[in-house]
Amino acid sequence: MNPALIAPIADGWGMHGDVGGWWMIVMMPLMLLFWAGIVFGIVWLVRGGSDGWRERRRETPSEILDRRFAEGAISLEDYNERREVIANSSR
C-alpha cells in the first residue's frame, strides 16, 4: 500500500491519543515563552550581559581627572593643581 495514503488515514485512527485541539491552546503560549526566552538570552549575551564574569578595569586618578576636565566639571586651574598633586604623589 502507498505510504502517502496511509498517513492521513492513520491520523484518523486515534493514534495520537484523541487529545483534541485543546493541547494547541496550552502549547502555543508555552512555545512562545520558550522561544522568547531563547531570543532574550542570546540578545543579553551579545549586548554584554556577561560583563559580570570579566574583571572590570578601574580608572587611574589621572584618567578620572582628565575625564572630569573634559566633561567641564572642573576648571583649568583646578585641573592643573590636581594634576600636580597626582604627579607628586606618584613619585
Side-chain angles (χ1 to χ4, degrees), residues 2-83:
N2 188 355
L5 296 175
I6 294 174
I9 295 171
D11 194 41
W13 290 342
M15 289 181 63
H16 302 291
D18 290 329
V19 183
W22 65 269
W23 66 270
M24 190 167 65
I25 295 170
V26 173
M27 289 303 291
M28 289 284 286
L30 291 176
M31 194 179 290
L32 287 173
L33 286 173
F34 172 77
W35 286 111
I38 296 293
V39 169
F40 175 78
I42 291 170
V43 169
W44 180 72
L45 286 174
V46 167
R47 293 190 75 191
S50 63
D51 280 347
W53 298 337
R54 289 180 269 175
E55 184 178 324
R56 293 188 181 191
R57 184 182 162 294
R58 296 186 67 186
E59 287 181 298
T60 63
S62 60
E63 290 173 338
I64 294 171
L65 183 63
D66 292 341
R67 180 177 45 81
R68 290 190 62 207
F69 179 67
E71 291 172 348
I74 57 175
S75 67
L76 179 60
E77 294 82 22
D78 287 337
Y79 175 78
N80 288 331
E81 289 174 13
R82 294 174 186 188
R83 173 63 72 187

